[in-house]
Amino acid sequence: MYLPRSFRVEDLDQLHRHIEQYSFGTLFSRTPDGPFATHLPFLLDPTRGPAGTLMGHMARANAHWRGFSPDDEVLVTFLGPHAYISPSWYASPAAVPTWNYAAVHVWGVARLIEDLDALREHVLQMVDAHERRLDPSWDPAAAGDIIDIELRAIIGFEIPIARIEGKYKFNQNRSREDQEGVIAALSRGTDTQLRAVVEIMRGNLKPRRSD
């Protein structure tokens, strides 16, 4: 992606936190029929490999996985909070509108997980990652034999991360006065996504100019 230095995120822990928080990603790859995309939840294992490993699964009926090749990387994108930015919020409105957003891109070769035991472990790990945040939570044991039946309808895969890039574009190239104007305007909204943009912008505020 287009990645000006002022918006580039290079801290691996921050990139991993982004993936874990916004784990519903988009998987892109080349297929014999052209570029193909599938929208999927992902699970990140940050301890496997120098940059971590992504794990996911999709329906066997989805032909996307049949195009995976050991000679061709796939791309997974994770979009975070985003918002339209009006020039009227700057100290001087003599500017143009823009869009603030967070995104992380991951590349690697996808490898299939076809062993049922390994696939079951992956699915239960993903379930646990989400259910542990809920109260009450769901116990997979309540599903009985349904899980094993459903496992035969999906295909698992893992992507050892070969390359990872992050972009947090939140007015870092503007003055503190402009940044504060945007924060004030977005804070008047009630949308949770706008609130998330505000929190990121507060963490990125430029230091005040000394008198």
Side-chain angles (χ1 to χ4, degrees), residues 89 100 104:
W89 302 336
N100 281 3
V104 170

Short mmCIF file of all heavy atoms in Angstrom, two decimals, residues 89 100 104:
data_model
loop_
_atom_site.label_atom_id
_atom_site.label_comp_id
_atom_site.label_asym_id
_atom_site.label_seq_id
_atom_site.Cartn_x
_atom_site.Cartn_y
_atom_site.Cartn_z
N TRP A 89 -12.78 21.68 10.26
CA TRP A 89 -12.37 21.39 11.63
C TRP A 89 -10.95 21.86 11.92
O TRP A 89 -10.50 21.81 13.07
CB TRP A 89 -12.48 19.89 11.91
CG TRP A 89 -13.85 19.34 11.69
CD1 TRP A 89 -15.04 20.03 11.73
CD2 TRP A 89 -14.19 17.99 11.40
NE1 TRP A 89 -16.09 19.20 11.49
CE2 TRP A 89 -15.61 17.92 11.28
CE3 TRP A 89 -13.47 16.82 11.23
CZ2 TRP A 89 -16.29 16.74 11.00
CZ3 TRP A 89 -14.13 15.64 10.95
CH2 TRP A 89 -15.53 15.60 10.84
N ASN A 100 -9.22 9.68 7.58
CA ASN A 100 -8.32 9.08 8.56
C ASN A 100 -8.66 7.60 8.70
O ASN A 100 -9.84 7.23 8.75
CB ASN A 100 -8.46 9.77 9.92
CG ASN A 100 -7.71 11.09 9.98
OD1 ASN A 100 -7.12 11.52 9.00
ND2 ASN A 100 -7.74 11.73 11.14
N VAL A 104 -3.70 -2.68 8.34
CA VAL A 104 -2.51 -3.54 8.37
C VAL A 104 -2.63 -4.56 7.24
O VAL A 104 -3.70 -5.15 7.04
CB VAL A 104 -2.38 -4.27 9.73
CG1 VAL A 104 -1.31 -5.35 9.67
CG2 VAL A 104 -2.05 -3.27 10.84
#
